[in-house]
Amino acid sequence: AFRAFGFGTPTGIDVPGEGGGFVPTPAWKERERGEPWYIGDTYHLAIGQGDLLVTPLQIAVATAAFANGGKRITPHLISDCPVSDARCQVLQVPGITEEAVQMIRQGMRLAVTSGSARGLADLPFFVAGKTGTAQTTPHRRPHAWFTGFAEARSAKPQATSDRSVVVTVLVEEGGEGSRVAVPVAREIFSAWAQ
């Protein structure tokens, strides 16, 4: 499922030197660490911890798939990308159902209305998101994360809009995502809506 959303490989953005991140597997752990894969490894991977490495752009691409109904879009540094343009690759995420998309959208909306991203709840448009706090080493503060999307017209998690934006914020060694990354995202969403 991680690879279906583009994790573990570069997104394909038209900028040289993009990192691919890393998705650990049982075979990799056995080969590199000489240890079996435990259920705890699966739990860590499921919540984005352990040996998983992702880039902010990969998180933004995955978030966009939930914002747009399950399609993974290759990012590009151009202002408009008509469907006929070969650079504007749009792929349906394999195995993702409409029900799963709606469930994730609803969960991300709840993070804004009553969870860790409540700092966005009073914006006058639909916003959904997820905060994160990524631990690095015991001697450094964790990274503050936020990823989410806003839609200009819709107030319902089931609806999608033609005008939407995805925002992913990473503040290195910033602390908690809810306290540090959410206010940054709020400024970006507010500027986008104007």
Side-chain angles (χ1 to χ4, degrees):
F2 282 93
R3 296 201 188 279
F5 284 94
F7 295 112
T9 60
T11 65
I13 191 168
D14 45 354
V15 176
E18 180 185 12
F22 178 71
V23 178
T25 64
W28 167 83
K29 188 176 180 198
E30 181 72 37
R31 182 180 66 251
E32 296 298 319
R33 299 224 173 120
E35 299 174 354
W37 186 269
Y38 298 106
I39 191 71
D41 295 314
T42 301
Y43 295 155
H44 284 143
L45 185 60
I47 63 169
Q49 297 290 330
D51 294 305
L52 179 68
L53 297 175
V54 300
T55 68
L57 187 57
Q58 288 171 330
I59 293 289
V61 168
T63 301
F66 293 107
N68 70 33
K71 295 175 184 68
R72 191 175 93 204
I73 300 172
T74 301
H76 291 281
L77 296 178
I78 53 179
S79 62
D80 187 23
C81 201
V83 176
S84 59
D85 191 324
R87 296 174 298 167
C88 303
Q89 187 176 16
V90 178
L91 302 171
Q92 183 67 35
V93 176
I96 191 168
T97 64
E98 179 64 24
E99 179 182 54
V101 169
Q102 294 309 324
M103 186 183 313
I104 297 298
R105 285 174 62 88
Q106 187 173 34
M108 292 176 76
R109 179 63 180 157
L110 286 170
V112 170
T113 60
S114 58
S116 59
R118 282 188 307 272
L120 304 171
D122 65 341
L123 290 174
F125 43 83
F126 178 88
V127 180
K130 172 73 178 87
T131 62
T133 304
Q135 300 162 342
T136 56
T137 67
H139 309 293
R140 297 182 138 179
R141 293 181 68 198
H143 300 325
W145 276 92
F146 171 82
T147 192
F149 59 94
E151 296 175 346
R153 291 188 296 265
S154 176
K156 297 180 180 177
Q158 292 82 8
T160 58
S161 169
D162 289 337
R163 185 164 179 256
S164 61
V165 66
V166 170
V167 172
T168 299
V169 175
L170 168 66
V171 180
E172 292 183 353
E173 297 184 31
E176 290 187 20
S178 59
R179 286 193 292 211
V180 178
V182 167
V184 174
R186 181 183 177 86
E187 292 298 318
I188 296 168
F189 284 134
S190 296
W192 166 79
Q194 294 179 8

